[in-house]
Amino acid sequence: MSTFQAPKGTYDLLPPNSATYLAVREAISAPLKNSGYGYIETPGFENVELFARGVGGSTDIVTKEMYAFETKGGDQLALRPEGTASVLRAALEANLHKGGNLPVKLWYSGSYYRYERPQKGRYRHFSQVGAEAIGAEDPALDAELIILADQAYRALGLRDFRILLNSLGDKECRPVYRTALQDFLRGLDLDEDTRRRIDINPLRVLDDKREYVQERLVGAPMLRDYLCEACKAYHEQVRELLTAAGVAFEDDVKLVRGLDYYTRTTFEFVHDGLGSQSAVGGGGRYDGLSEMIGGPALPSVGWALGVDRTVLALEAEGVTLDIPAATAVYAVPLGDEARRVLFGAVTELRRAGIATDFAFGGKGLKNAMKSANRSGARLALVAGERDLAEGVVQLKDLRSGEQTPVALDAVVEEIRRALG
Ligand code: AMP
């Protein structure tokens, strides 16, 4: 029989490396939990229309990368390609915005799916931790989110990342700019695909990474020069708050991002050790999204950080997280009576909160001690018939090799002391 493999563009998280992923999720969510964000979990799939309207019918995410399907019952669904539309949908559905306590601040962690061309750092199934602050227009809220992401990356020990910042304007000034940009782009010699993009999503052309496109873009009108006074003042406040918080950023007037819903503040976290897939996270303000999916006007801001790429960034910087060994104590019984007694001691230790494992499967002493060492445990608890007859078990320090007998009824206490 042939064996199965993980689908193309996916990979499995396996121990011991999987512990790093858990630690990254924890490190990213910790500053959010500490800042008034509550945990939200939404389904892995949604009505396809939510993403078509929310993310934008002209984006690559919706037109090329979405896992859309029809169920046996005829529902048109899609695996979620991103988190914001779902979170806003859930908040609206539950009327969280009507509790008289805006902004509604939520964080999430989960799997996302995009049918992309796989390469290092780009997968078809990936993992994000995200945050959304719904229902307030306040530059301090935009600044808060950027500061919290910066705090998360720094807590992980990352240093070689940069924050790119831009303002995309609002519904007053962006349409004027859009028209000016379209006029400029239509005068350029560009390929068919790109020309089509000029009609549906001209700002994305600025983001095109191809050199021949970038060469032609010299002299293009810049959104910065079209921002209305309100947008300019708003952006200036975000910048000042970041500076006051000691968070360095770079103004990137070409930063557009791949989703249609952004207004005003947009930002991206890029890491310089990752090659072409350098964005480790990104986000921005989406003041119009609620109305686009049938809700009331709810100016909001959020971000999503990629867990997979954050792990790659840690590797690129040579940072290893300080992850405590999963097992502190490893029990090795010699003989049937010892198995029974030591298994009891293991249960007791675990109930006392001490991470403990056991040599299952009737291994011989040599093999069992090998497993003990591999487990990363500091202590082994070894007992044979003679020990039991004396009412003791042997406590072996796996680093020094030193072994001391301990009374069976004092095991938890002694181990607690030995572990410090
Ligand atoms: P986006 O919603 O595209 O701004 O994505 C936010 C973050 O999610 C990115 O900065 C990446 O870190 C991560 N991400 C997005 N797409 C992928 C993918 N296909 N594979 C791995 N990570 C991804």
Side-chain angles (χ1 to χ4, degrees), residues 38-56:
Y39 180 64
I40 183 170
E41 204 166 308
T42 64
F45 51 81
E46 295 273 353
N47 206 308
V48 69
E49 200 47 33
L50 173 69
F51 300 121
R53 274 203 257 160
V55 179

Side-chain angles (χ1 to χ4, degrees), residues 80-284:
R80 56 185 182 187
E82 60 100 49
T84 303
S86 312
V87 168
L88 190 54
R89 192 272 305 144
L92 290 171
E93 188 175 335
N95 284 321
L96 298 187
H97 60 296
K98 289 188 183 158
N101 192 22
L102 297 176
V104 176
K105 301 209 286 187
L106 301 165
W107 75 273
Y108 58 86
S109 171
S111 293
Y112 296 85
Y113 308 87
R114 293 182 195 172
Y115 190 74
E116 300 203 72
R117 199 164 41 77
Q119 66 179 94
K120 188 172 168 132
R122 189 162 72 189
Y123 311 105
R124 291 181 171 176
H125 164 261
F126 58 97
S127 163
Q128 290 182 337
V129 175
E132 315 289 350
I134 298 165
E137 190 184 275
D138 183 341
L141 199 53
D142 308 39
E144 166 176 290
L145 277 163
I146 296 171
I147 292 165
L148 293 175
D150 177 79
Q151 189 181 330
Y153 286 137
R154 290 194 184 280
L156 282 166
L158 289 176
R159 293 292 174 267
D160 300 340
F161 66 90
R162 292 176 291 131
I163 301 173
L164 309 180
L165 185 68
N166 193 20
S167 172
L168 291 181
D170 63 9
K171 60 176 187 289
E172 302 303 322
C173 53
R174 191 155 71 193
V176 181
Y177 169 69
R178 193 173 186 272
T179 308
L181 181 62
Q182 280 175 324
D183 288 346
F184 173 85
L185 294 173
R186 286 193 182 117
L188 300 181
D189 174 25
L190 293 163
D191 60 273
E192 192 75 10
D193 254 8
T194 313
R195 294 194 71 81
R196 214 168 305 131
R197 198 171 254 181
I198 296 172
D199 295 326
I200 51 178
N201 201 342
L203 271 73
R204 288 286 288 160
V205 179
L206 296 181
D207 215 19
D208 200 309
K209 301 281 185 288
R210 289 172 300 177
E211 205 171 314
Y212 104 90
V213 178
Q214 284 302 324
E215 277 168 10
R216 285 165 171 72
L217 289 177
V218 176
M222 281 293 144
L223 182 50
R224 181 187 41 195
D225 303 320
Y226 285 76
L227 290 183
C228 61
E229 288 310 315
C231 283
K232 259 191 230 163
Y234 192 96
H235 197 55
E236 204 38 53
Q237 283 193 56
V238 175
R239 297 175 77 259
E240 278 168 17
L241 289 164
L242 291 177
T243 304
V247 171
F249 57 88
E250 296 170 20
D251 293 306
D252 181 352
V253 295
K254 284 190 181 167
L255 180 71
V256 179
R257 302 192 27 75
L259 302 88
D260 274 356
Y261 51 61
Y262 288 113
T263 50
R264 290 196 168 168
T265 315
T266 41
F267 49 87
E268 206 154 80
F269 291 79
V270 293
H271 193 276
D272 291 323
L274 292 188
S276 66
Q277 302 305 310
S278 62
V280 286

Side-chain angles (χ1 to χ4, degrees), residues 328-330 332 365 369 372-373 377-383 393-406 415 418-419:
V329 181
Y330 196 96
V332 176
L365 177 64
M369 289 312 290
N373 281 311
R378 269 183 50 200
L379 302 170
L381 204 53
V382 189
V393 292
Q394 301 293 330
L395 192 57
K396 182 168 180 172
D397 185 315
L398 289 170
R399 284 185 225 165
S400 65
E402 197 183 316
Q403 189 166 304
T404 37
V406 236
I415 284 186
L419 291 175

